[in-house]
Amino acid sequence: MFATNVNQKEQLPPEAAEIMEQALVRFATVRIGAVHEFPFFGRALYGMTYVPVWKLREKLGASWAMDKHGRVYGDPEALIGPTAEPIQTSVATFVHEVMHWIFLHVPRMEGMGLSLSKHIRKKANYAMDAPITRGRRSTQASTSTRR
């Protein structure tokens, strides 16, 4: 999922600040897990800047997003609290978002034209997801046979 204009100027509830702070700590664990699983992407994984965005799931329909500037946006509640993802899911999703950045998917999407319909942009995102997802599955399969 690509972030286009995540604007966080709305008033946040009192509990948001604490959850967002905890999410930053949890994200450090996610990043370390990602580097452990994919050390050859270490530079890119450490190069991404995590930006917690309150209620991102409600705004974009996804818990994670990225942009062409090396920022990965995450819903803090995906990392902390009763609706938190398992850590392995967060690691896999973070790596997935970084792969979009590595493969220059945002500039490619921009090259197709921002005037494309939402439907076409969504299909393009699915097409860009395919090699990432396929690569992740083949990596998991080869890793599980070695253990």
Side-chain angles (χ1 to χ4, degrees):
M1 176 64 67
F2 299 110
T4 52
N5 185 17
V6 180
N7 188 343
Q8 202 161 332
K9 294 188 190 292
E10 75 270 5
Q11 191 70 347
L12 297 177
E15 72 275 7
E18 183 177 334
I19 291 172
M20 290 174 84
E21 192 67 33
Q22 292 173 358
L24 289 171
V25 173
R26 180 73 167 184
F27 179 74
T29 304
V30 169
R31 189 188 311 264
I32 290 168
V35 171
H36 177 75
E37 289 292 317
F38 296 94
F40 42 92
F41 291 138
R43 191 173 201 168
L45 293 165
Y46 277 113
M48 296 295 280
T49 301
Y50 176 69
V51 180
V53 179
W54 188 249
K55 302 292 184 188
L56 182 65
R57 276 187 258 204
E58 293 174 15
K59 295 172 186 173
L60 290 181
S63 299
W64 296 81
M66 52 77 61
D67 67 16
K68 67 180 178 182
H69 302 291
R71 292 180 292 243
V72 62
Y73 301 93
D75 189 327
E77 294 180 309
L79 296 174
I80 300 296
T83 61
E85 307 168 334
I87 190 76
Q88 298 89 341
T89 301
S90 296
V91 167
T93 307
F94 173 52
V95 170
H96 177 101
E97 295 302 330
V98 171
M99 296 294 286
H100 279 297
W101 189 54
I102 289 170
F103 293 154
L104 303 173
H105 286 169
V106 175
R108 289 180 185 179
M109 185 79 83
E110 289 174 343
M112 293 187 323
L114 296 176
S115 62
L116 295 173
S117 71
K118 184 176 181 180
H119 176 73
I120 298 296
R121 285 194 315 267
K122 191 170 190 172
K123 280 188 168 189
N125 189 40
Y126 288 148
M128 291 177 188
D129 277 347
I132 295 171
T133 304
R134 185 179 60 230
R136 178 76 178 133
R137 285 188 187 134
S138 65
T139 302
Q140 288 172 331
S142 65
T143 304
S144 64
T145 58
R146 285 184 284 176
R147 290 184 183 165

